[in-house]
């Protein structure tokens, strides 16, 4: 059973990294490797994303409603609004918060000019989100995580794409940090990213005693997927330099 789970996780994680990385790479204006962001447009996108999340969570039933995702949404909104107290609370104990909160924080850090710190928290959140999706038996949660990455990873993903050396250092830090960090949030938050949340009442998840294996295999597959993506980035850079 564990060997079968391991094979499934490896396939989904490697392909998941490629999807997540691609999702974070969209059109963006840069000057000397630094992004020139349109704050108004970004603010509009964030507001629309929050509206969609609010619309969906109001329809949750059963175990999905028991997740109280509206609390996570509220924290994300406060971070997006620049609430200093909320941001401090998150950073004092980041392991308490699910990946969407860390993604929201990463965006604010990025817009303040701390690009490498932003990459660390964004890719940490992305790794954890994919790991949590691997615990879900609703496979559509993976697409939900990819869509989440599109909302929060556009600027950071493009910066990483243009700075593969910094990305490589950051990813090594993320993988090492995640090995020892203790996650204190409920991984079942990811269930709201799947299609079953809109019609069902019971969350389908792997047994809790398999969580550690899922996390370990996700890190392993994530690293393989990253190395493949990094090779492609370096090859493209070399081609442009010729």
């Amino acid at each position: 059973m564990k060997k079968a789970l391991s094979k499934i996780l490896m396939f989904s994680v490697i392909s998941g990294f490629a999807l997540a990385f691609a999702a974070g790479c969209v059109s963006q204006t840069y000057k000397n490797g630094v992004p020139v962001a349109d704050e108004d447009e970004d603010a509009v996108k964030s507001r629309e994303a929050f509206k969609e999340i609010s619309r969906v969570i109001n329809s949750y039933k059963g175990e999905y409603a028991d997740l109280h995702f509206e609390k996570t949404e509220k924290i994300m909104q406060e971070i997006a609004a620049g609430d200093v107290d909320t941001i401090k609370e998150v950073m004092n104990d980041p392991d308490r918060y699910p990946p969407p909160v860390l993604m929201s924080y990463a965006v604010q850090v990025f817009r303040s000019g701390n690009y490498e710190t932003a990459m660390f928290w964004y890719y940490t959140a992305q790794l954890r989100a994919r790991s949590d999706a691997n615990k879900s038996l609703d496979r559509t949660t993976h697409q939900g995580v990819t869509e989440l990455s599109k909302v929060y990873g556009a600027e950071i993903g493009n910066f990483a794409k243009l700075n593969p050396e910094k990305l490589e250092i950051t990813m090594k830090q993320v993988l090492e940090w995640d090995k020892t960090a203790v996650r204190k949030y409920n991984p079942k938050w990811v269930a709201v990213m799947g299609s079953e949340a809109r019609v069902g009442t019971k969350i389908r998840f792997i047994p809790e005693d398999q969580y550690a294996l899922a996390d370990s295999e996700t890190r392993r597959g994530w690293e393989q997927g990253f190395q493949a993506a990094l090779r492609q980035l370096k090859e493209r850079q070399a081609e442009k330099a010729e």
Side-chain angles (χ1 to χ4, degrees), residues 34-50:
V34 176
V36 180
D38 185 338
E39 293 293 342
D40 292 335
E41 183 179 346
D42 290 330
V44 170
K45 288 180 180 178
S46 294
R47 283 197 299 272
E48 291 303 314
F50 285 133

Side-chain angles (χ1 to χ4, degrees), residues 27-221:
S27 179
Q28 173 74 39
T29 302
Y30 282 79
K31 184 177 181 180
N32 297 325
V34 176
V36 180
D38 185 338
E39 293 293 342
D40 292 335
E41 183 179 346
D42 290 330
V44 170
K45 288 180 180 178
S46 294
R47 283 197 299 272
E48 291 303 314
F50 285 133
K51 285 181 182 178
E52 176 61 16
I53 292 174
S54 297
R55 184 188 68 77
V56 174
I57 65 174
N58 288 330
S59 65
Y60 292 160
K61 297 179 177 63
E63 293 180 356
Y64 294 97
D66 292 340
L67 291 174
H68 300 295
F69 194 74
E70 68 274 8
K71 293 181 181 179
T72 296
E73 181 202 22
K74 181 175 181 293
I75 295 171
M76 293 164 68
Q77 289 176 324
E78 290 173 352
I79 291 174
D83 188 307
V84 176
D85 291 334
T86 299
I87 291 172
K88 285 182 178 179
E89 285 182 14
V90 171
M91 281 302 94
N92 282 338
D93 195 0
D95 291 317
R96 280 182 51 207
Y97 300 92
V101 171
L102 297 185
M103 287 188 184
S104 182
Y105 170 76
V107 170
Q108 297 309 309
V109 172
F110 186 83
R111 291 175 183 169
S112 70
N114 297 304
Y115 306 124
E116 291 166 62
T117 300
M119 279 200 299
F120 175 83
W121 287 113
Y122 174 72
Y123 286 111
T124 292
Q126 205 179 70
L127 168 62
R128 290 185 169 189
R130 195 62 64 180
S131 179
D132 295 337
N134 280 330
K135 300 181 182 91
S136 174
L137 297 178
D138 175 6
R139 306 317 296 169
T140 63
T141 57
H142 281 281
Q143 181 57 36
V145 169
T146 299
E147 292 301 319
L148 188 70
S149 297
K150 288 181 181 178
V151 174
Y152 292 99
E155 297 170 85
I156 298 172
N158 277 291
F159 179 81
K161 183 180 177 182
L162 293 174
N163 296 274
E165 294 81 9
K166 292 181 180 179
L167 174 61
E168 184 172 16
I169 293 172
T170 297
M171 288 302 293
K172 288 179 180 178
Q173 293 172 338
V174 167
L175 289 164
E176 285 302 312
W177 187 79
D178 191 65
K179 287 180 183 178
T180 58
V182 179
R183 305 180 191 186
K184 303 173 187 176
Y185 66 89
N186 184 356
K188 290 185 178 180
W189 73 271
V190 80
V192 304
M193 297 286 105
S195 60
E196 290 183 11
R198 301 177 185 179
V199 295
T201 59
K202 187 174 179 59
I203 297 173
R204 297 191 305 121
F205 236 60
I206 65 174
E208 191 169 346
D209 63 5
Q210 294 180 13
Y211 285 6
L213 174 61
D215 293 339
S216 175
E217 290 301 297
T218 298
R219 281 191 295 271
R220 192 155 65 98

